[in-house]
Amino acid sequence: MEKRMHNALAFLKKAVGDFIPEIAIVPGSGWEEIVSIFENPRCVEYADIPEFPQATFHKGRFVFGTLAGVKVVSAGRLHYYEGIPVEETVMPLRVLRLLGVKKVILTNASGGINPSFTPGSFMVIEDHIKFGVPSPLRGKNPDFLGVRFPDMSQVYSKRIQTALFRAGEKAGVPLHKGVYLQTAGPQFETPAEIRLMKLLGADAVGMSTVPEAIAAVHCGMETGGIACISNMAAGISETPLSVEDITNTAARSVPLMKALLKEAVIEISNL
Ligand code: HPA
């Protein structure tokens, strides 16, 4: 794993020279469109990087560029449900950390459990619950990245949460805040599972983000998260869930996602 990461790092350095992004963005459903407003985008496909994990749902690629004058990189998401070992799904972020990236914004589309949410609204992630997904830190600890038993009492940096709320105000995008719960997927939840998750204190549910957040904190990246509530979770609304409806709602939210992330990178780079 260590050798593969260093090989990938060498490959990236060759591709982007001394360009070191300040902020990484991991785009969830809908959010991938953000790269269309990057200035001077430079794309590095995961498929071209030796022994790098391959994406089957989102676009497997890094896109380097600037957004509102801030050096950024988007890292295409890999999900556990794709059959990729969980420790491999966090490889793109870890390689970016080795490149020198110190902050990350994780984004996703998720189901609303909190009844005050509505489809198309946004939630700043305050904390998370890992539900049936293995830890990306299992196995031999990569000591060159972080410690064996990292603290998780503040996964989502308070400073970044505050910066995201400021960004929301500037962009005119109202933001909820809450707890995100990740399942292994790929099936959506049953209404009984959603009732349990509500009891556990979850406000939104999805199939991503948590392993990345754990790995990011482990390797010392300051972490923030935003969920787009693309639907109400099973049983909260009577409508059966479909990936098409979720994708359509996420697609309708793209202009807001762009406005929010643009302000967010400005606010976060000023921290
Ligand atoms: N459940 C799980 N994952 C999701 C959902 C959901 O309701 N919506 C978008 N991703």
Side-chain angles (χ1 to χ4, degrees):
M1 179 77 99
E2 181 169 349
K3 189 157 179 284
R4 285 171 59 206
M5 272 190 253
H6 279 108
N7 287 342
L9 175 66
F11 188 93
L12 280 189
K13 279 189 172 162
K14 236 193 213 162
V16 298
D18 56 6
F19 185 92
I20 300 180
E22 235 189 281
I23 305 172
I25 299 169
V26 179
S29 295
W31 298 91
E32 281 183 302
E33 279 298 308
I34 188 66
V35 301
S36 69
I37 57 165
F38 283 9
E39 301 113 25
N40 304 314
R42 266 182 291 175
C43 197
V44 180
E45 301 289 339
Y46 292 174
D48 293 334
I49 306 175
E51 293 184 88
F52 211 65
Q54 297 305 307
T56 63
F57 186 67
H58 290 301
K59 292 191 181 86
R61 61 180 193 188
F62 293 108
V63 182
F64 293 81
T66 59
L67 179 56
V70 181
K71 287 182 184 165
V72 293
V73 57
S74 119
R77 170 161 280 138
L78 307 168
H79 304 84
Y80 179 59
Y81 69 69
E82 292 176 73
I84 305 166
V86 67
E87 58 276 19
E88 300 263 323
T89 65
V90 299
M91 190 124 123
L93 264 191
R94 284 176 156 173
V95 172
L96 289 179
R97 179 69 193 95
L98 294 175
L99 186 68
V101 182
K102 297 197 181 108
K103 293 174 183 156
V104 61
I105 310 172
L106 304 170
T107 66
N108 64 51
S110 51
I113 297 178
N114 186 320
S116 74
F117 295 177
T118 47
S121 62
F122 292 86
M123 180 187 93
V124 170
I125 304 178
E126 236 188 333
D127 203 349
H128 72 222
I129 300 172
K130 182 168 79 56
F131 191 88
V133 188
S135 170
L137 309 182
R138 67 190 287 274
K140 187 174 179 301
N141 184 56
D143 294 327
F144 65 103
L145 289 172
V147 298
R148 171 78 291 188
F149 300 108
D151 176 50
M152 291 285 144
S153 52
Q154 188 71 70
V155 173
Y156 303 88
S157 140
K158 277 261 190 296
R159 306 198 303 162
I160 291 189
Q161 289 184 46
T162 309
L164 290 174
F165 279 104
R166 273 200 303 273
E169 253 170 49
K170 286 196 174 158
V173 180
L175 298 173
H176 299 288
K177 89 178 157 176
V179 173
Y180 176 82
L181 180 149
Q182 182 184 346
T183 72
Q187 75 287 350
F188 292 113
E189 303 70 36
T190 64
E193 286 167 344
I194 293 297
R195 287 194 295 276
L196 171 65
M197 291 168 189
K198 193 172 176 190
L199 282 177
L200 293 176
D203 295 292
V205 57
M207 305 175 195
S208 68
T209 305
V210 169
E212 292 152 356
I214 294 171
V217 168
H218 174 253
C219 68
M221 280 175 126
E222 190 172 358
T223 304
I226 319 171
C228 171
I229 308 299
S230 53
N231 57 284
M232 294 313 285
I236 304 276
S237 123
E238 297 298 306
T239 329
L241 302 191
S242 84
V243 79
E244 289 75 24
D245 289 348
I246 289 171
T247 310
N248 288 338
T249 308
R252 278 198 297 278
S253 303
V254 165
L256 296 182
M257 291 167 174
K258 286 180 180 168
L260 180 58
L261 282 180
K262 193 167 174 183
E263 295 299 336
V265 298
I266 297 171
E267 292 296 326
I268 293 171
S269 81
N270 285 334
L271 291 178

